[in-house]
Amino acid sequence: MKQFFGMSQTGDLKEAVRGLSKPQFLMLMSNSDQFESHVSTLQDLYPNVPSIGCIGMSYDTRIVEKGVGVAAFYDGVRAVSNVLEKVSVMPVKYIRRLERDMESIQGSQNDTICIDFCAGNDACVLNTLYSVLRRRGVSLVGGTGDAGRVSANGRIYEDAVAYALIKNLNGRVKAYKENIYHKMGSYRFVASKTDKANYIIGELNGRPAKQVYQNILHVSEQEIQSQTFKNPFGKINGNDMCIISIKEVNGNALSCFRQVNDSDVLVMLELGDYRAIVKDTIRSIQKDFSKISAVFSINCLFRYLLFSENHYMQEYLHEMGALGSHAGIVGYGEHYNNQFVNQSMTCVVFE
């Protein structure tokens, strides 16, 4: 298979897809003002091609902040795309769609991936999607778009998740997740007085969450939002660690980008040597694949801001580009199988 990525910094969709013929699957990454027209135009240009789309920045070796990016797979893939609706209430109501799509594509662990663009309620959505995917061992990568809207096959949906099942007809696929944080000291917290609906942590070990965070890191209330780039929380999930970013201060509580429940055990994380970690990820991918056709990744907005502030973003994109054809999207939360994480990178590699 092969990957195409086209962009227009001004939002000219026809410029972005110039030279693209016979795609077998499309991903649209647009801006909020032009999303509707981009979805419509893409459908007119490629009417019978499965597609998903969302609002967000995209990239290959350059970033598209406010224009439009289009990624396409062709020459050796089979794909089907669809939506689960009413994700804030009951996404499982539409699960039969995914079951039928999985049956039609006959996906397997070695050659199939699910990519999703979500409009919200990510944790519940991922549990729903993965309940079907895991039966065949199919992995998932994806992320949250902006403005609560996604598209699938030329239609725009609110309160939905757009997904695609992509089967590589000529080789393997494998999903990866990259974490640039590690545990800080021996800090261990039990969360309480949480508000699951609003992702709020009220207390940690029985003390106001804001005060606990400030006392450990010696930061002012105004510095908490930026400090989370260096010191997010982590939630232990078996042998894995899910990163939880702080969104803002809410009185004496902390509002986060990921749900925390009463009695959840959290730890404090600190930023590692991200340049070295990225190189390790690239080496791991190269070890697994002697020939790479495409890499599609989802990078967190906070990673983008961190890398940009440290003048590393452009270098990062060039390093990932050395793998081969690399493209992706900047998301507001990252998906890896049934995990909804923050401040991470997830990607799929096609042989």
Side-chain angles (χ1 to χ4, degrees):
M1 62 88 68
K2 296 177 182 177
Q3 178 172 244
F4 166 96
F5 181 78
M7 65 170 70
S8 168
Q9 299 288 0
T10 62
D12 185 339
L13 183 70
K14 291 185 178 179
E15 176 190 340
V17 299
R18 188 172 296 145
L20 175 60
S21 63
K22 298 182 180 179
Q24 293 169 308
F25 171 63
L26 294 160
M27 286 181 283
L28 171 69
M29 295 148 284
S30 179
N31 62 79
S32 58
D33 293 335
Q34 295 177 287
F35 185 53
E36 290 186 12
S37 64
H38 285 160
V39 170
S40 176
T41 301
L42 192 69
Q43 180 69 11
D44 289 343
L45 291 171
Y46 306 102
N48 299 312
V49 179
S51 68
I52 60 174
C54 69
I55 296 168
M57 295 185 284
S58 57
Y59 52 78
D60 57 357
T61 56
R62 297 171 295 162
I63 283 279
V64 185
E65 291 188 338
K66 297 181 180 179
V68 63
V70 176
F73 299 154
Y74 64 101
D75 194 17
V77 300
R78 183 183 304 144
V80 59
S81 55
N82 213 329
V83 291
L84 302 185
E85 300 174 66
K86 298 182 180 179
V87 295
S88 64
V89 182
M90 193 184 295
V92 72
K93 178 180 178 180
Y94 301 91
I95 196 65
R96 183 59 186 148
R97 295 178 182 176
L98 178 58
E99 291 173 338
R100 285 195 296 264
D101 291 337
M102 185 67 81
E103 290 167 5
S104 71
I105 207 165
Q106 288 294 300
S108 71
Q109 179 178 355
N110 291 328
D111 61 15
T112 306
I113 189 74
C114 181
I115 299 177
D116 84 284
F117 293 157
C118 192
N121 200 24
D122 300 66
C124 181
V125 167
L126 293 178
N127 284 333
T128 303
L129 291 171
Y130 202 62
S131 67
V132 175
L133 300 176
R134 67 185 174 197
R135 298 173 198 166
R136 290 182 179 264
V138 172
S139 294
L140 175 148
V141 297
T144 311
D146 197 7
R149 291 182 291 167
V150 296
S151 69
N153 304 322
R155 289 187 58 190
I156 294 175
Y157 298 84
E158 296 182 356
D159 195 26
V161 58
Y163 68 84
L165 297 169
I166 304 112
K167 184 171 185 176
N168 185 0
L169 302 179
N170 300 313
R172 296 175 297 130
V173 300
K174 186 174 181 180
Y176 296 82
K177 182 179 74 167
E178 181 179 84
N179 173 15
I180 58 175
Y181 297 88
H182 58 260
K183 190 175 178 183
M184 175 180 169
S186 58
Y187 296 105
R188 183 179 182 276
F189 315 106
V190 177
S192 59
K193 294 189 177 179
T194 61
D195 180 343
K196 293 189 291 184
N198 296 300
Y199 295 6
I200 287 174
I201 306 172
E203 294 185 348
L204 295 168
N205 294 346
R207 297 170 56 212
K210 181 186 77 171
Q211 179 185 338
V212 171
Y213 191 83
Q214 286 183 271
N215 289 349
I216 291 172
L217 298 170
H218 308 291
V219 294
S220 68
E221 180 175 321
Q222 292 71 32
E223 293 172 314
I224 290 176
Q225 276 184 286
S226 58
Q227 190 67 33
T228 195
F229 290 4
K230 298 179 181 178
N231 297 104
F233 289 113
K235 179 181 176 181
I236 299 171
N237 185 8
N239 295 322
D240 205 355
M241 183 72 69
C242 291
I243 300 167
I244 300 172
S245 307
I246 298 171
K247 181 179 181 181
E248 60 189 1
V249 175
N250 189 314
N252 287 317
L254 296 175
S255 175
C256 300
F257 282 100
R258 188 184 185 280
Q259 186 181 90
V260 177
N261 304 313
D262 283 352
S263 301
D264 278 354
V265 176
L266 307 181
V267 297
M268 184 70 77
L269 300 178
E270 61 182 343
L271 183 64
D273 184 347
Y274 52 84
R275 286 177 169 85
I277 293 168
V278 167
K279 286 180 170 60
D280 285 344
T281 299
I282 291 171
R283 280 194 292 267
S284 178
I285 292 172
Q286 290 171 331
K287 182 180 178 181
D288 291 340
F289 291 87
S290 58
K291 180 183 177 182
I292 296 172
S293 295
V295 181
F296 186 83
S297 65
I298 299 91
N299 268 281
C300 181
L301 174 63
F302 278 18
R303 275 173 58 110
Y304 167 70
L305 294 174
L306 174 71
F307 288 177
S308 296
E309 287 177 3
N310 288 278
H311 310 290
Y312 176 62
M313 191 65 199
Q314 201 59 50
E315 181 183 345
Y316 167 75
L317 293 178
H318 280 289
E319 288 183 344
M320 290 293 289
L323 286 168
S325 177
H326 170 238
I329 184 169
V330 176
Y332 289 80
E334 299 71 57
H335 304 163
Y336 179 76
N337 293 332
N338 63 341
Q339 299 175 18
F340 173 40
V341 295
N342 301 143
Q343 292 179 231
S344 303
M345 183 276 286
T346 62
C347 72
V348 55
V349 179
F350 294 84
E351 189 172 32

